[in-house]
Amino acid sequence: MDEIRKFAVFGNPISHSLSPMIHKEFAKEHKLNIQYKAIEPESDDFETHAQSFFSKKGIGANVTIPFKDQAYYFADERDEVSDICQCSNTLWYDDGKIKAFNTDGQGFVNDLKKKKIAVRGMRVLILGTGGSARSIINSMSSEDIESISILSRTQSKVDRIIENFSNRGKITHHSDSETYELVINTTPISMSNTEISFPESMIMNTTISYDLFYSRKQTRFQKWSLDKGASLALDGIGMLINQAALSYEIWNKFSPNTERVEQLIRSL
């Protein structure tokens, strides 16, 4: 039998993660013999666990909240998207070095395309300023959209993102008078019981909302969006699978069938 190829996902919390199932399904398609572990370090202990994983012949790792910034600094080399966003969600041990990549934004865009959602000319609102938000802004600003607005409680973080992407020319602060064709929630609001208090005026009856959070049932942000009149409310499973596929391709030089895996997960 072929040698087992070792992979992992790092996050906290991580017990809910679908990543092990996703990558094992990818591996079945490619007939790869893999091990894929979920690892949950304490908040200040990511580097120790990552070092241990790669020292034991680990090949690649996905990284989720709250370790994407730490993963970026942990690596020996980083791809251009990681440098732009200052965070990474994919690590790869290659040629004696840990290499970091950020596949979140392109995974998001790929999911929209596979769902036949045409973004051309759209006004887009991003809720939040974390690593996923920065990666999505990076990828979406390369699409043929009208504008990207950002809404966050911390204005200084919004200012920093707008400054970092100043050469893109279409990234601004949210205005209460603005409405959007696409609203993307990157905040953890669906994971809490806090009242959702985003401006209702941002949703129109033609708005598509997209919650990066996912669960077995409708997320809180999906329900809120539909209650406010959104035409469609998506969860984050598609993005999760598509960013995972890009990671898998980096590690294994094989592009898996994401639609099959999404159908499988949604049927469970």
Side-chain angles (χ1 to χ4, degrees):
M1 180 177 278
D2 293 339
E3 183 181 357
I4 294 176
R5 295 172 64 79
K6 294 182 179 180
F7 303 99
V9 58
F10 291 87
N12 191 336
I14 202 62
S15 59
H16 70 287
S17 177
L18 294 173
S19 292
M21 180 193 301
I22 290 167
H23 282 274
K24 285 170 185 174
E25 285 301 321
F26 290 166
K28 281 182 192 175
E29 183 184 341
H30 197 199
K31 296 183 171 57
L32 269 187
N33 185 14
I34 75 164
Q35 176 190 84
Y36 191 103
K37 289 184 174 181
I39 300 174
E40 186 173 288
E42 293 302 315
S43 58
D44 58 351
D45 212 17
F46 168 77
E47 190 166 323
T48 302
H49 284 268
Q51 200 73 262
S52 173
F53 169 74
F54 284 109
S55 71
K56 295 172 182 172
K57 296 188 176 180
I59 292 172
N62 294 117
V63 183
T64 187
I65 295 171
F67 301 119
K68 293 181 185 182
D69 293 3
Q70 292 182 54
Y72 172 80
Y73 291 107
F74 173 73
D76 302 308
E77 295 179 1
R78 304 156 186 91
D79 74 335
E80 182 183 7
V81 182
S82 293
D83 279 334
I84 291 169
C85 301
Q86 297 284 290
C87 63
S88 304
N89 72 326
T90 301
L91 296 173
W92 179 37
Y93 184 76
D94 177 51
D95 198 23
K97 293 180 178 177
I98 306 290
K99 300 178 180 179
F101 302 82
N102 192 311
T103 67
D104 276 335
Q106 192 56 52
F108 176 81
V109 169
N110 289 353
D111 185 47
L112 291 184
K113 289 178 178 176
K114 287 174 183 178
K115 288 181 167 59
K116 304 291 191 290
I117 295 171
V119 300
R120 183 173 184 173
M122 276 188 172
R123 290 162 298 178
V124 179
L125 176 64
I126 309 273
L127 305 172
T129 55
S132 296
R134 299 195 298 271
S135 186
I136 289 171
I137 289 165
N138 176 66
S139 294
M140 287 295 288
S141 63
S142 299
E143 298 293 313
D144 190 14
I145 58 174
E146 182 175 320
S147 63
I148 297 176
S149 300
I150 309 169
L151 176 61
S152 171
R153 288 177 297 185
T154 313
Q155 287 301 105
S156 60
K157 291 183 178 179
V158 179
D159 292 337
R160 198 172 309 132
I161 289 174
I162 291 172
E163 183 180 343
N164 288 348
F165 290 97
S166 57
N167 62 333
R168 307 290 175 95
K170 47 188 163 188
I171 300 168
T172 62
H173 288 267
H174 162 71
S175 164
D176 285 341
S177 62
E178 190 66 88
T179 54
Y180 306 93
E181 284 80 31
L182 179 62
V183 176
I184 306 159
N185 175 45
T186 74
T187 76
I189 192 71
S190 287
M191 298 172 70
S192 72
N193 292 317
T194 311
E195 182 185 357
I196 296 179
S197 56
F198 296 126
E200 297 179 18
S201 59
M202 69 190 191
I203 302 284
M204 308 181 292
N205 60 8
T206 55
T207 300
I208 296 169
S209 81
Y210 195 119
D211 190 358
L212 264 57
F213 183 70
Y214 58 87
S215 68
R216 297 293 184 190
K217 56 185 181 179
Q218 191 179 66
T219 72
R220 293 182 68 233
F221 183 73
Q222 281 180 289
K223 183 178 185 309
W224 181 87
S225 302
L226 292 169
D227 287 347
K228 304 308 173 193
S231 63
L232 178 65
L234 302 169
D235 65 24
I237 287 177
M239 174 183 167
L240 175 73
I241 293 169
N242 280 279
Q243 64 79 25
L246 294 168
S247 297
Y248 186 89
E249 189 171 353
I250 288 166
W251 303 328
N252 300 301
K253 305 295 182 279
F254 177 82
S255 183
N257 183 334
T258 57
E259 288 95 334
R260 179 188 70 82
V261 176
E262 182 166 354
Q263 286 176 0
L264 173 67
I265 286 174
R266 293 194 185 279
S267 70
L268 297 176

